[in-house]
């Protein structure tokens, strides 16, 4: 999802984080191992309103001090492109601008951050005490049907591409879009996946339709990822999440699902709230007019009168458990969607300082140290390395 990825949700902050006793062991596991989060929407956040995330910030879910506190050392910076920019050169311009922002973060604080273009970069920078900033493109719109653009963005550091976002584009149908113009992938989309494999750019199937998912894993010669998705088992009818059949196919492909933390992705109640909110706002806009004072009053008071039922840490852990039950420990990781899901984050996982809470929850559910290390980043690094190894043949 995102401010980039979903409905902009403004909710009451009355639900406070419950007290979790985080043991020294949990803190140590978070701090002493590579922790990869494959979807954090910092670039689009600072494009909307600049903040220096190399320092503590008042807003958002990510900054350097909180990342250090949480043990986060390899957050993928999401280069998010709104679906409205498909078939427009503006998509290329925005993508380059957001990459510039990531480079500016490193330029401001080279003692804290470094661009990462490979798993080896992440490992070396971790050893130096630097936070790696690899990049993924959320929405393949900037490719604009031209493989030269794929080469361009690879050279700029993009290492995964989410094929589509909230609307069908020139590459793929979207899970959010009732129009299924391609019945999966477009002819160019199929060609694109082969070229992504050859470069070592991971194929990200978050957001795409079910048909596009199955076509992508059939075409891809390397394991694919779901960079920020959760499970449809817990949100019946929500196509943006993956069902059990898809999870099993992902496991057979060798890929990994990175669990999205957003409450509307994680629980049935929050997901239903989001759908009702959308319907209520649409009805109010039609009845009152979007520019009317009555509509502004309605929108301003909505969440006060209809607070979001937040997910919890246990809700997120249930998603991890279910993936492990279906396809094993080697195919699940973290794709939080921090800075991308507004104020819909679960209790006890409100920003990047809270990964030790997740680790403690895993310990409490009897995950071994090695299993936790896999979830924190080892699984994703394996998939990334397999993509690199395949690309090295070309």
């Amino acid at each position: 999802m995102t401010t980039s990825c979903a409905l902009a949700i403004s909710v009451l902050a009355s639900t406070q984080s419950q007290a979790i006793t985080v043991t020294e062991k949990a803190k140590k596991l978070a701090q002493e191992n590579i922790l990869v989060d494959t979807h954090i929407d910092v670039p689009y956040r600072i494009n909307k309103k600049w903040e220096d995330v190399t320092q503590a910030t008042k807003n958002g879910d990510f900054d350097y001090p909180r990342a250090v506190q949480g043990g986060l050392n390899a957050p993928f910076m999401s280069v998010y492109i709104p679906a409205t920019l498909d078939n427009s050169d503006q998509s290329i311009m925005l993508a380059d601008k957001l990459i510039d922002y990531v480079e500016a973060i490193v330029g401001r604080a080279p003692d804290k951050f470094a661009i990462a273009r490979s798993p080896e970069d992440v490992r070396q920078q971790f050893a130096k005490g630097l936070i790696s900033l690899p990049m993924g493109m959320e929405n393949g719109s900037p490719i604009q049907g031209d493989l030269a653009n794929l080469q361009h963005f690879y050279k700029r550091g993009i290492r995964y591409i989410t094929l589509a976002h909230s609307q069908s584009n020139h590459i793929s149908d979207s899970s959010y879009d009732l129009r299924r113009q391609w019945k999966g992938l477009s002819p160019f989309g199929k060609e694109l996946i082969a070229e992504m494999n050859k470069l070592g750019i991971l194929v990200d199937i978050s957001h795409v339709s079910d048909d596009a998912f199955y076509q992508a894993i059939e075409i891809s010669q390397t394991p694919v990822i779901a960079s920020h998705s959760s499970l449809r088992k817990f949100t019946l009818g929500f196509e943006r999440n993956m069902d059990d059949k898809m999870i099993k196919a992902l496991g057979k492909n060798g890929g990994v699902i990175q669990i999205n933390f957003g409450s509307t992705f994680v629980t049935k109640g929050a997901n239903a709230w989001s759908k009702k909110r959308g319907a209520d706002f649409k009805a109010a806009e039609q009845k009152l007019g979007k520019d009317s004072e009555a509509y502004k009053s309605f929108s301003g008071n909505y969440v006060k009168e209809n607070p979001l039922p937040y997910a919890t840490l246990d809700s997120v852990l249930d998603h991890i458990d279910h993936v492990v039950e279906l396809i094993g420990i080697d195919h699940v990781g973290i794709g939080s969607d921090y800075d991308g899901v507004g104020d819909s984050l679960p209790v006890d996982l409100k920003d990047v300082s809270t990964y030790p809470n997740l680790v403690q929850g895993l310990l409490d559910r009897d995950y071994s140290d090695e299993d936790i290390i896999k979830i924190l980043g080892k699984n994703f690094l394996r998939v990334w390395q397999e993509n690199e190894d395949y690309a090295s043949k070309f």
Side-chain angles (χ1 to χ4, degrees):
M1 220 163 118
T2 35
T3 320
S4 62
C5 214
L7 294 171
I9 301 176
S10 173
V11 291
L12 283 175
S14 57
T15 304
Q16 300 298 322
S17 180
Q18 299 172 348
I20 286 185
T21 301
V22 179
T23 61
E24 288 303 313
K25 180 176 183 179
K27 294 176 184 176
K28 187 175 181 180
L29 281 167
Q31 293 290 336
E32 295 185 0
N33 295 284
I34 295 176
L35 200 166
V36 180
D37 187 323
T38 49
H39 199 88
I40 296 184
D41 280 290
V42 167
Y44 199 74
R45 165 190 158 194
I46 61 178
N47 181 59
K48 292 179 70 177
K49 185 178 180 180
W50 171 256
E51 287 187 294
D52 184 1
V53 296
T54 69
Q55 310 292 329
T57 60
K58 293 181 180 180
N59 302 303
D61 308 324
F62 174 96
D63 57 38
Y64 179 76
R66 284 182 285 175
V68 170
Q69 182 181 347
L72 176 63
N73 40 57
F76 265 78
M77 298 286 98
S78 172
V79 175
Y80 163 68
I81 309 301
T84 53
L85 297 184
D86 197 38
N87 299 318
S88 165
D89 288 343
Q90 291 181 51
S91 66
I92 300 173
M93 294 170 62
L94 179 57
D96 276 323
K97 182 180 180 182
L98 298 186
I99 294 170
D100 288 346
Y101 279 136
V102 179
E103 293 176 346
I105 291 169
V106 174
R108 280 174 171 263
D111 57 327
K112 298 175 180 177
F113 296 102
I115 300 293
R117 298 171 182 267
S118 68
E120 186 58 27
D121 283 351
V122 172
R123 296 185 188 100
Q124 291 182 7
Q125 289 158 10
F126 173 71
K128 295 176 182 178
L130 295 171
I131 293 179
S132 293
L133 298 181
M135 288 180 282
M137 178 181 288
E138 185 180 23
N139 188 3
S141 174
I143 304 304
Q144 292 295 309
D146 187 345
L147 294 178
N149 288 329
L150 182 70
Q151 290 275 355
H152 167 75
F153 286 113
Y154 175 79
K155 290 176 182 177
R156 293 220 62 190
I158 294 296
R159 289 301 180 267
Y160 76 70
I161 295 177
T162 316
L163 301 179
H165 190 250
S166 59
Q167 295 178 19
S168 176
N169 65 11
H170 72 285
I171 296 168
S172 174
D173 291 334
S174 165
S175 61
Y176 283 123
D177 194 340
L178 294 178
R179 299 169 301 163
R180 301 298 163 94
Q181 63 172 327
W182 306 116
K183 295 181 174 58
L185 299 173
S186 71
F188 176 75
K190 295 173 182 178
E191 181 184 4
L192 179 67
I193 286 175
E195 292 303 312
M196 288 170 65
N197 286 169
K198 292 176 182 178
L199 284 176
I201 299 177
L202 290 88
V203 176
D204 178 19
I205 53 75
S206 288
H207 281 283
V208 304
S209 68
D210 289 7
D211 286 342
F213 163 78
Y214 285 111
Q215 291 169 23
I217 61 171
E218 181 179 356
I219 294 168
S220 181
Q221 299 300 304
T222 60
V224 306
I225 66 167
S227 69
H228 59 306
S229 294
S230 298
L231 308 186
R232 211 175 296 175
K233 171 183 170 65
F234 301 98
T235 55
L236 296 178
F238 185 44
E239 190 179 347
R240 170 66 177 81
N241 277 347
M242 299 178 69
D243 67 19
D244 286 5
K245 183 181 176 182
M246 296 167 78
I247 296 295
K248 290 177 181 178
L250 183 75
K252 187 175 180 180
N253 164 266
V256 63
I257 177 172
Q258 307 287 101
I259 298 299
N260 189 315
F261 291 175
S263 289
T264 61
F265 284 79
V266 175
T267 67
K268 180 179 179 180
N271 190 262
W273 178 94
S274 178
K275 291 177 181 177
K276 183 177 185 301
R277 178 185 182 274
D280 289 349
F281 269 67
K282 184 177 181 179
E285 182 178 339
Q286 291 174 345
K287 180 180 179 180
L288 304 172
K290 193 170 185 179
D291 296 326
S292 70
E293 290 301 319
Y295 180 82
K296 292 176 183 177
S297 176
F298 165 82
S299 61
N301 292 321
Y302 186 86
V303 294
K304 296 177 183 178
E305 299 170 359
N306 304 278
L308 169 68
Y310 287 102
T312 65
L313 169 61
D314 278 330
S315 308
V316 175
L317 294 170
D318 288 345
H319 285 250
I320 294 173
D321 283 351
H322 192 62
V323 176
V324 174
E325 290 167 5
L326 285 175
I327 57 175
I329 191 64
D330 295 326
H331 303 282
V332 65
I334 299 168
S336 65
D337 217 343
Y338 281 133
D339 276 331
V341 288
D343 194 20
S344 76
L345 290 158
V347 174
D348 299 314
L349 292 172
K350 289 297 187 185
D351 63 31
V352 296
S353 71
T354 61
Y355 297 105
N357 291 350
L358 182 72
V359 175
Q360 187 62 54
L362 292 167
L363 287 171
D364 292 344
R365 293 195 180 197
D366 296 324
Y367 282 82
S368 69
D369 291 9
E370 179 57 28
D371 285 349
I372 292 170
I373 291 168
K374 286 183 176 183
I375 293 167
L376 292 181
K378 190 174 181 180
N379 286 340
F380 178 81
L381 291 175
R382 169 188 59 80
V383 171
W384 191 1
Q385 188 63 58
E386 287 181 25
N387 276 262
E388 292 264 307
D389 292 346
Y390 180 84
S392 69
K393 301 174 184 178
F394 296 91

